[in-house]
Each structure stands twice: as C-alpha cells, then as structure tokens.
Amino acid sequence: MDARLTAEQEEIRRTLRELLAKRCGPQELRAAELTPAGYDPALWETLALHLGLPALALPEAYGGVGCSLTELALACEESGRALAPSPLLSTAVLAAPLILALGTEAQRAALLPSLASGALTAALAVPGTGLATALGLAGDNRGDWAGGGRAGGVQARRADGAWRLYGQAAQVLDGHSAGLLLVAAHTGGFARSRTLLFLVRDDAEGLVRARQTALDATRPQARLELREVEAELLGDDQADVPAALAAVGDGAAAVLAVEAVGAADRALERTVEYVGRREQFGRAIGSFQAVKHRLADVYVAVQSARSAAYYAAWSAGTGGERVGALALAQALEALRTAASEGVQLHGGIGFTWEHEAQLYFKRASGDELLFGPAHRLRAHAADAARLFDGGEVTV
C-alpha cells in the first residue's frame, strides 16, 4: 500500500473542504436540519451534479467515474469534518454497491446512472434496529434479523405473480426522502427461510414513511411501514444476500471510519483554537501542561485511527482483507474522545445547544448507536477470526 495520496485525491479533498467551508457553516447546517429532507437540496445538487461524488466508485459503464472506494472515502472524510447532512452515505455507500452486486443487467442500467448523477437517491431499509447486524459488522447476518418467519420484521410473499411486502423498519437513513428503497425482507417460511432484497419506489401504494427524531440531526432517519406494498426483487431469488450485505458492509465501515476521522480531526482543531484564545489566571489555558497532555492524547488517537481507516478503505477497494469493522471501532472511539474532550475544554459553553461542540458529540453517539458500539464490532471480528476458541486464525 502506498500511503501517499495522489494529485487527484488531494484535489478531491481540497475542493470539497473549500466548498463545505463556504456552504456548510453552523447557520447553514442548522437550517438544513430543519428542512423536510434534512439536508440542503442545492448543496446536494452541487455535490452530485457538479462534483460527481455519488459517481466516484461506480463503473463508467453505468455513468460513474470509475475510481476506487478510497476516493469516495476521502470525499466522506471532508463531509464528516463539516458534519454535512446529505444522502451520500445512504445512496453511494450503502444502496448503489448492492444494486451493482446483486441487480440484473436491466436493473443496473435503469438505476445506477440516476444514482450516479444524484437525480435519484436511495436508502437501505432493514427491520428493527439491526443495520450493523445486517451489514455483518456486529453480528452474524445469516440469522433471523430480517424476521426469521416470526412476527415482526418485514415479510415478503408472492401473490398474483408479484412480490408484496408487509412489515416495518426503523432507523432508515434518509428513508423519508429517498426516491428508491432497498428493503431487506424474509421469505420462504421455515422450510426455505432466506433473506432477499427488494426495490420499492417512494410512491408505492401502501408505503408509509415518517421522519424520526434522531439524536444526531445531521443523519436524518425515518420509520417505514409497508402494508402489502408491491415490490421488485433485486436480482434473483437464488442470490446470496447475506454475503453481498457483508461485502458492502465492510466497505461501508471503512468509509464510515474515514468519515469519523474527519469529524474527530475537526473537533480537535476547534478545541485547539479555543484553548489558544481562552485565558485563565492571565494566560491561555492551552499553555497549561495538563491541557497539552489531554490534547496530545487526542491527537495520537485521531492519527492512529486515520491510519487504520485509510488502510481499511484501500483494502476494501482492492479486494484485500476485510478490516472495516475494526477500523470503524477505532475511529468511533477516536471521535468520541475528541468530541468529549472538546466539550470539556470548552467549559460552560461546550455543552450548550448554541455551540457546535455538542454536534460532534452527537455524531459520535449517533454513529455508535447505528453502527456499533465499538466493543461489539471488535467482539464480532474476534469471533469471526476464532481468536478465543483455540482454532486457526483466519482473516
């Protein structure tokens, strides 16, 4: 692995950082959170249509740029620094790779160009609160997380030659605004129990969507209710959906790790700036040794997490070992540490609603609720590697 960024990768970072600094300040961020979609449509148009972010990791044959996952991760690092709300994660990191992996040629040709251009946004909906398990990050995704034939979850059945879905899903990222939903549903009963993915349009009859109040308002979420909704099967009914979800989950975890590092780095920068200005006992509080030691520890944690996240993104993009969950665990811990120290060292103003320090803490907590927590990510990785059963260690 060459740890140096290419000129193109540096340009992606520079361009996005300059744009988001102008278009995603504190006031713009709060205004975007209050919109029905939860993000600024004009900013999304700029990111998608003019900069081509959703197209970065898609093949040129489907309207993509043909870059690797690393370039998409670097773009998400900059959006993480600004905490920019957008459907980039749900569309380009979760939904598009699944359509590319499982969809028929007709489905790819019909959907991927629209996703690449940003004209169509998509969301992955899984039953209950099991997104981390469905992606194979914090548990075995070949279990009954999709319903398992029992009450609850989302059930799929064939009726009159068409698939129909019944059930509900919560904590669906951008599920209230996405034009296309990828819904994981259980079918086959107990005899041929399996999980499949289905395509549901936003105007489907029987679909009820409602935005939920989320801890982290920069990651808008929705609750979906499907009442005999007609759906289109993604790919064919013999597809190994859990394997595809796990493969996409590893890449998504790597991207999320890089994004979390961007947020942690910015939280640290803001704290360093503040302690250099705030005076106590006639001197800047950043000059006190205790404060220096605390910030030095945060710096080491952030840089270590960045190395792990970059390697995970590179490995996922080149088909190497799957270490996305471990990198995500380290990045989430670094973000929580940076955000917590930021709130502490900002003093009385740090925890107030008016200050931006609390937004980074909410991002850290929200991501752990959605994709973690860190100890579960590590525990599942250890189980998969058979570290504690005396078996042979495999990756």
Side-chain angles (χ1 to χ4, degrees), residues 67-85:
C67 293
S68 70
L69 190 70
T70 303
E71 283 73 22
L72 180 57
L74 291 173
C76 287
E77 180 178 9
E78 295 307 315
S79 68
R81 283 178 58 88
L83 299 181

Side-chain angles (χ1 to χ4, degrees), residues 317-353:
T318 57
E321 58 183 344
R322 295 185 178 182
V323 291
L326 291 175
L328 179 58
Q330 188 168 354
L332 290 177
E333 287 184 341
L335 175 54
R336 175 173 283 277
T337 299
S340 300
E341 291 289 7
V343 170
Q344 288 283 330
L345 293 176
H346 272 82
I349 196 175
F351 67 91
T352 62
W353 189 265

Side-chain angles (χ1 to χ4, degrees), residues 68-70 73-74 250-251 254-255 258 308-318 323-324 327:
S68 70
L69 190 70
T70 303
L74 291 173
D250 180 69
V255 173
V258 177
Y310 279 12
Y311 174 75
W314 172 83
S315 183
T318 57
V323 291

Side-chain angles (χ1 to χ4, degrees), residues 3 18-19 24 84 86 164 202 236 314 373 375:
E18 292 178 357
L19 172 67
C24 203
S86 80
R164 294 193 176 275
D202 60 341
D236 60 69
W314 172 83
H375 71 269

